[in-house]
């Protein structure tokens, strides 16, 4: 049995309150970091732990922190990406609702490491309970001296502000999020420069996901070796998996990184609904290409999933059974990306518009010979040609659906109907 780390307070009554958090050892990591370690030592510790970003891309956290220039004369910022707009993803919401101090402590230690005195939590506006709980937790932490000036008697001062999003998926893309924080329309920026060098208000800015930051206090208290001992060495740690779709026991599961996808879906989440068979699984939010049933013996970690042609992404695991038409799944997903495209770059704005038109007619049984070739051509025009990962995610997902379930697309075109409805 895996002992939960990030979700250890999930079922503790009043787990969101400071008193409960302190009773479970909360804020000892911050005290230890400030008393026993220099900022550089914390960066080295996080590097040694091999912690990788839990927002989607899996970039090494300690390395990202080390890119922040030391002496620029500019303020440095920490931004917590709590936008969590990826369909099928709800892990960060649970951390913020049930254990907000875990995040605040992680942010304080991370800010100390990179030399930031100000942080923003960019939180999805629909997350009303999480917003209320975070606001309450920030006020409690201030009152107790875990936030504010000269924290715990040290030279380190740090404040956290909450900024609520207004419902745009693109704000989860880190540079669009920075534009939104600056009061502009959210559109991705060209990288480089990366935010670590030139981010919020053109100052060095580290952007980390909620779950990533929540790992930091545990690494400080229990050590880098402990963290690396959980799951694959290059992609270690406790991991939150969001299970949804056509599965018996949907919900949030904390298990080691690297657990086989089949075990996660069939053993932990109970497998397909009664009388149904597994058809495919989307392992990491709709930006991650689907994996057909025969490919489910793959580890749920960044490298194993990349080698299998998909990605861990946000670990939003969406289960699809044999009652579902993949043409319909692909059309709904591309409609989502098309709707959420910010429109800044042409391949994404025009390409997805075109893809949606073709997919809708194929889905409706009005497709024409050549439509599948056209879809493949459009994916080629989008992939790798956009400012941000939105267009790539859409193209990769559609390519996987076409590659693994071409027969369903062909049937829609040739028989002029859906075989499932
Ligand atoms: C400094 C370098 N920094 C890379 C940083 C970069 C970013 C991170 C990953 O996201 C996935 C996709 C989406 N110097 C650097 C450097 N960085 N090289 O490392 O960068 P990258 O470019 O590999 O990926 P990305 O485009 O940031 C792609 C998903 O992330 N996504 C994330 C959303 C997250 C949330 C959330 O946390 N709540 O919504 C957005 O597009 O799906 O899977 O930090 O700056 N040489």
């Amino acid at each position: 049995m895996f002992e939960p780390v990030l979700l250890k307070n999930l079922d503790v009554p009043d787990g969101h309150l400071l008193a409960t958090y302190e009773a479970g050892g909360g804020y000892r990591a911050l005290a230890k970091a400030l008393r026993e370690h220099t900022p550089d030592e914390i960066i080295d510790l996080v590097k040694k732990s091999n912690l990788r970003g839990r927002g989607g891309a899996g970039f090494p956290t300690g390395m990202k922190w080390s890119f922040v220039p030391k002496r620029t004369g500019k303020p440095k910022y920490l931004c917590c990406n709590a936008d969590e707009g990826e369909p099928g993803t709800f892990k960060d919401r649970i951390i913020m609702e049930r254990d907000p101090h875990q995040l605040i402590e992680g942010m304080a230690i991370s800010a100390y490491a990179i030399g930031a005195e100000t942080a923003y939590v960019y939180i999805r506006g629909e997350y009303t309970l999480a917003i209320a709980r975070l606001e309450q937790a920030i006020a409690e932490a201030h009152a107790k001296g875990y936030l504010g000036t000269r924290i715990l008697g040290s030279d380190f001062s740090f404040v956290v502000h909450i900024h609520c999003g207004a419902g745009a998926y693109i704000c989860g893309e880190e540079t669009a999020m920075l534009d939104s924080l600056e009061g502009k329309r959210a559109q991705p920026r060209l990288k480089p420069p990366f935010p670590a060098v030139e981010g919020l208000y053109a100052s060095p800015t580290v952007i980390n996901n909620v779950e990533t930051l929540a790992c930091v206090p545990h690494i400080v208290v229990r050590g880098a070796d402990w963290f690396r001992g959980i799951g694959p060495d290059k992609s270690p740690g406790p991991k939150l998996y969001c299970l949804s779709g056509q599965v018996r026991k949907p919900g949030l599961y904390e298990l080691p990184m690297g657990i086989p996808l089949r075990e996660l879906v069939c053993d932990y989440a109970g497998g397909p609904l009664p009388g149904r068979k597994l058809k495919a699984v989307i392992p990491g939010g709709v930006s991650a290409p689907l994996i057909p049933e025969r490919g489910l013996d793959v580890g749920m970690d960044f490298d194993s999933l990349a080698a299998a042609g998909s990605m861990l992404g946000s670990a939003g695991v969406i289960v699809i059974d044999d009652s579902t038409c993949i043409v319909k799944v692909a059309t709904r997903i591309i409609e989502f990306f098309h709707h959420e495209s910010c429109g800044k770059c042409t391949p994404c704005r025009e390409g997805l518009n075109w893809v949606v038109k073709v997919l809708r007619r194929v889905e409706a049984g009005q497709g024409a010979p050549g439509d599948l070739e056209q879809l493949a051509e459009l994916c080629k025009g989008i992939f790798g040609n956009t400012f941000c990962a939105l267009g790539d995610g859409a193209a990769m997902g559609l390519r996987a659906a076409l590659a693994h379930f071409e027969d369903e697309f062909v049937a829609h075109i040739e028989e002029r109907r859906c075989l499932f409805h």
Side-chain angles (χ1 to χ4, degrees), residues 54-57 59 64 67 81-86 92 169 172-174 191 194-197 207-210 287 311 313 388-390:
R54 276 29 177 172
F59 195 81
K64 189 189 281 189
F67 290 147
N81 190 342
D83 199 42
E84 199 160 62
E86 189 67 34
D92 299 336
Y169 174 72
E173 197 285 330
E174 58 176 11
K191 296 189 268 188
F194 287 95
V197 176
I207 303 155
N208 285 139
N209 165 265
V210 172
S287 301
M311 53 192 249
C388 80
L390 189 146

Side-chain angles (χ1 to χ4, degrees), residues 6 171 180 272 286 348 377 380:
L6 300 168
C171 291
S180 176
V286 295
C348 181
E377 201 52 36
K380 211 162 116 191

Side-chain angles (χ1 to χ4, degrees), residues 196 233 277 353:
D233 188 58
K277 287 194 187 116
N353 189 43

Side-chain angles (χ1 to χ4, degrees), residues 137-259:
I138 289 169
E140 280 185 311
H142 259 285
K144 204 69 193 281
Y146 297 126
L147 291 175
T149 43
R150 300 186 63 84
I151 292 170
L152 302 176
S154 71
D155 288 337
F156 174 57
S157 301
F158 177 58
V159 290
V160 178
H161 302 285
I162 295 178
H163 184 100
C164 299
Y169 174 72
I170 197 62
C171 291
E173 197 285 330
E174 58 176 11
T175 58
M177 192 186 87
L178 295 178
D179 269 16
S180 176
L181 271 174
E182 291 178 4
K184 299 173 188 150
R185 175 177 171 173
Q187 291 189 319
R189 301 174 182 175
L190 256 192
K191 296 189 268 188
F194 287 95
V197 176
E198 202 176 310
L200 189 65
Y201 306 117
S203 289
T205 304
V206 163
I207 303 155
N208 285 139
N209 165 265
V210 172
E211 185 187 350
T212 314
L213 292 163
C215 288
V216 172
H218 304 285
I219 294 170
V220 169
V221 169
R222 298 166 85 165
D225 290 342
W226 161 79
F227 195 82
R228 272 172 81 156
I230 303 169
D233 188 58
K234 289 196 173 139
S235 185
K239 181 73 196 92
L240 301 183
Y241 301 101
C242 316
L243 269 291
S244 69
Q246 292 156 321
V247 67
R248 283 184 202 232
K249 293 191 282 177
L252 187 62
Y253 293 83
E254 182 176 10
L255 290 161
M257 186 77 94
I259 185 161

Side-chain angles (χ1 to χ4, degrees), residues 229-304:
I230 303 169
D233 188 58
K234 289 196 173 139
S235 185
K239 181 73 196 92
L240 301 183
Y241 301 101
C242 316
L243 269 291
S244 69
Q246 292 156 321
V247 67
R248 283 184 202 232
K249 293 191 282 177
L252 187 62
Y253 293 83
E254 182 176 10
L255 290 161
M257 186 77 94
I259 185 161
L261 178 53
R262 191 181 298 279
E263 196 179 322
L264 182 60
V265 171
C266 295
D267 298 349
Y268 287 94
L273 298 172
R276 305 259 54 120
K277 287 194 187 116
L278 283 178
K279 181 170 180 175
V281 176
I282 297 175
V286 295
S287 301
L290 59 74
I291 297 176
E293 189 279 336
R294 63 181 177 279
L296 298 190
D297 297 301
V298 58
M300 286 292 284
D301 61 84
F302 296 107
D303 303 319
S304 305

Side-chain angles (χ1 to χ4, degrees), residues 121-144:
V121 181
Y122 193 103
I123 186 167
R124 188 181 167 134
E126 294 89 334
Y127 279 4
T128 47
L129 179 60
I131 293 165
R133 293 257 161 105
L134 260 185
E135 279 172 348
Q136 185 185 6
I138 289 169
E140 280 185 311
H142 259 285
K144 204 69 193 281

